Amino acid sequence: MCRGLASLPSTCLERAKGLKARFGCLFQKPDLSHKMDKLSRVTPEECMKWKESFDRLLANKHGLCAFRAFLVSEYSEENLTFYLACEDYRNTTSTSKLSVKAKKIYEEYIGSDAPREVNIDHETRAITKRNLEQPSLSCFELAQTKIYLLMEKDCYPRFLRSATYCELTRSMSRKIGQRTGGDEKTRK
């Protein structure tokens, strides 16, 4: 950090970091059309099950794709990518890789200059940092749980109310209606 920035109050630095993240996203808004094309393969039953629970949505590859596309459109994909990075980390079998992976996740999502910083409280951040002194499969557990709950209580309900999901369920309902209507016509 240059000497000029070091003399600024931390609140100014935090605000500048937030603005940098917001404006950076404006110039790099991704094209979601290819992701939405994949969703045309979703079965109506599959799409309707996403409403049952957040876990069902995350466990379904098409549901995960739709949810990620929604989060990208809202510039908040970092929560999901952090959650998935932690899941990958917990499945690490090589103890020699734990430290490297843990450091990468911390620098990407939790550290003070993290490019994709997730919204966790100071205490969780400090506990996670301490956990990295002796990396274990559970060192991100608290932070991951907090992000999961945030997505479940905030992002997931917004996804279910989103135009993307509503349109998807409407098109699925039409497919069900066409299948049901088509079956009735063939019986007559």
Side-chain angles (χ1 to χ4, degrees), residues 66-83:
F67 187 58
R68 182 185 306 254
F70 168 73
L71 291 176
V72 167
S73 74
E74 297 219 329
Y75 304 107
S76 61
E77 184 189 17
E78 69 280 351
N79 291 329
L80 182 60
T81 57
F82 170 72
Y83 175 82

Side-chain angles (χ1 to χ4, degrees), residues 135-169:
S136 69
L137 292 176
S138 63
C139 67
F140 291 106
E141 192 171 304
L142 178 62
Q144 184 185 19
T145 299
K146 297 237 177 182
I147 292 301
Y148 176 90
L149 292 172
L150 176 70
M151 289 191 299
E152 183 180 42
K153 302 292 184 224
D154 180 47
C155 303
Y156 175 61
R158 282 188 295 117
F159 167 72
L160 294 177
R161 291 187 306 267
S162 72
T164 303
Y165 184 72
C166 290
E167 179 53 38
L168 196 55
T169 55

